Amino acid sequence: MRIAWIGKKTPFCGNVTYSREITNALLDHKHEVSFLHFAQEQTHAENLTNCQDVPLPFIYKSQVYTIPTLKATKVLTDSLRQIKPDIVHASLTLSPLDFFLPEICEELNLPLVATFHPAFDRKVTTIASSAQFLTYQLYAPFLVNYDSTIVFSYLQKDWLARLGVPEENIAVIPNGVDVIKYSPGASRLKEEFKAERLFVYQGRIAPEKNVESLLRAWKQAKMGDGSKLLVVGDGALKNNLEPFYGSEYNIIWLGFVGSEERRIEILRGADVFILPSLVEGLSLSLLEAMSCGVACMATDVGADGEVLEKGAGVVLNTRSVRSQLRTLLPLFQDHPELTTLLGQKARQRVLERYTLNKNILQLEELYSQVLQKPRMQIIRGA
């Protein structure tokens, strides 16, 4: 099957990881994949024959959203016309281009599938989560015109259905992780940081990630000198937080870690992975930690609570993250047998439900279903 994938390669975020892992797996399954993504280089249509990588011009892009140039629509249209894919799959980048894709694909008579990533809080109790819900309201009228939209949980499907997207055009396919690559193994991390117990946060340092609640809880819990907290990631709040939560509290800021091997080494050396987010979709970082056999704590937002339910980890309430962590951090520090057990259960949960191979098989089945059904007609005025 020839697939045109529209997604992100930079800056590093969950969407980038999702696109990389899925496209690599599709290639492993002997599909032809062309990757169209926002990049500074502009490639002329006549040079696109048999291309695997197609840059789309942009004005601005961040971990959250992208602003394309006025030429991007034409470059995309001309590229798809030359590639002649069997199907187009857009890992939506929160870009104005997302809204034009159905018309472009209708013009070229190409089936169009989307993966809809925006995070959410199932309880919709915070300002951040309310803002995320507005994203669902904004996108729903346009997702009506996609042949199928992939989401990560049935709650997301219910939200979109209530906003007018036909249920039969919404597919629930959870994120998957490569369980061979992300697996328990040897690590020299504790020796490197001279730690007896290692706790890890990995993700953006942004308001919706609620990292300060974790940092304050760590400071108030007065963890022993043998315990270290590694903060992996970068973002807008890093420079504001780092001066107040530093090495004097056994907090180590590693910044952005680009090497996947290094990130795997960090997870393999960790005892506990903590994700205190106010909103999420389905965190790939969480699944990667679980797959490496790490005991995990995460808030009940997005689909993360579903991942950890029934004993696969500890589910935190967004309203009292700091107080819960203040109690749980010393408990996990002093009882290694507890973290060992939770790590084993986390790994088993991923093997049962969240493998990359299972994700790809479901995706291939969805592609086949979309190709077999009549093309949708654009609903004008969306």
Side-chain angles (χ1 to χ4, degrees), residues 239-341:
N239 292 337
N240 295 334
L241 295 174
E242 188 173 358
F244 300 100
Y245 302 96
S247 58
E248 67 273 25
Y249 300 109
N250 292 315
I251 299 173
I252 301 169
W253 295 77
L254 297 183
F256 170 68
V257 177
S259 166
E260 186 177 32
E261 288 184 5
R262 177 60 168 167
R263 294 198 302 272
I264 292 172
E265 181 188 21
I266 290 170
L267 292 176
R268 286 176 171 175
D271 295 294
V272 182
F273 180 89
I274 308 157
L275 194 62
S277 304
L278 296 174
V279 291
E280 280 288 349
L282 173 50
S283 170
L284 271 169
S285 291
L286 175 62
L287 292 178
E288 289 167 355
M290 293 174 68
S291 190
C292 286
V294 185
C296 293
M297 294 191 281
T299 43
D300 188 16
V301 294
D304 290 355
E306 297 174 24
V307 172
L308 296 178
E309 67 183 1
K310 298 180 181 178
V314 175
V315 180
L316 305 170
N317 190 311
T318 52
R319 295 182 179 180
S320 54
V321 171
R322 180 162 54 93
S323 62
Q324 291 172 84
L325 287 175
R326 196 168 58 231
T327 300
L328 291 168
L329 288 169
L331 179 67
F332 280 12
Q333 171 188 254
D334 298 335
H335 296 278
E337 71 282 357
L338 177 59
T339 55
T340 298
L341 177 61

Side-chain angles (χ1 to χ4, degrees), residues 49-242:
T49 305
N50 298 322
C51 72
Q52 291 297 312
D53 192 89
V54 182
L56 302 173
F58 71 96
I59 298 170
Y60 174 82
K61 64 177 175 177
S62 70
Q63 292 174 316
V64 180
Y65 63 92
T66 305
I67 302 175
T69 68
L70 294 176
K71 291 182 62 177
T73 301
K74 184 178 187 306
V75 172
L76 174 62
T77 304
D78 290 346
S79 301
L80 291 176
R81 186 175 284 117
Q82 289 218 9
I83 294 167
K84 295 183 175 62
D86 297 307
I87 197 164
V88 177
H89 188 151
S91 181
L92 297 178
T93 56
L94 297 188
S95 157
L97 205 57
D98 299 342
F99 306 129
F100 296 114
L101 274 172
E103 291 187 17
I104 293 171
C105 288
E106 183 187 45
E107 176 188 341
L108 300 175
N109 195 32
L110 296 174
L112 176 61
V113 172
T115 299
F116 189 57
H117 294 270
F120 65 99
D121 176 357
R122 64 182 60 233
K123 302 178 185 66
V124 195
T125 57
T126 66
I127 294 175
S129 63
S130 297
Q132 291 295 335
F133 188 63
L134 290 176
T135 305
Y136 281 71
Q137 292 177 305
L138 173 65
Y139 265 80
F142 296 92
L143 293 177
V144 167
N145 293 318
Y146 282 71
D147 292 286
S148 187
T149 297
I150 297 168
V151 294
F152 302 136
S153 79
Y154 285 96
L155 180 59
Q156 287 173 288
K157 178 175 181 176
D158 181 59
W159 275 18
L160 288 177
R162 281 188 284 164
L163 290 169
V165 182
E167 282 195 47
E168 62 271 20
N169 291 341
I170 308 172
V172 179
I173 304 179
N175 276 337
V177 62
D178 185 335
V179 295
I180 304 300
K181 186 166 51 176
Y182 287 88
S183 59
S187 172
R188 297 175 60 87
L189 204 67
K190 287 183 178 177
E191 181 180 339
E192 177 182 344
F193 292 109
K194 297 179 173 57
E196 297 171 11
R197 304 284 284 163
L198 277 175
F199 297 71
V200 171
Y201 166 82
Q202 179 175 291
R204 295 197 312 277
I205 315 300
E208 67 272 15
K209 295 297 185 177
N210 199 26
V211 181
E212 189 170 9
S213 288
L214 165 59
L215 297 172
R216 292 178 67 186
W218 180 274
K219 184 176 176 180
Q220 292 169 357
K222 301 186 186 303
M223 302 291 282
D225 289 337
S227 293
K228 303 287 177 67
L229 172 62
L230 304 185
V231 181
V232 182
D234 207 347
L237 295 183
K238 182 176 181 290
N239 292 337
N240 295 334
L241 295 174
E242 188 173 358

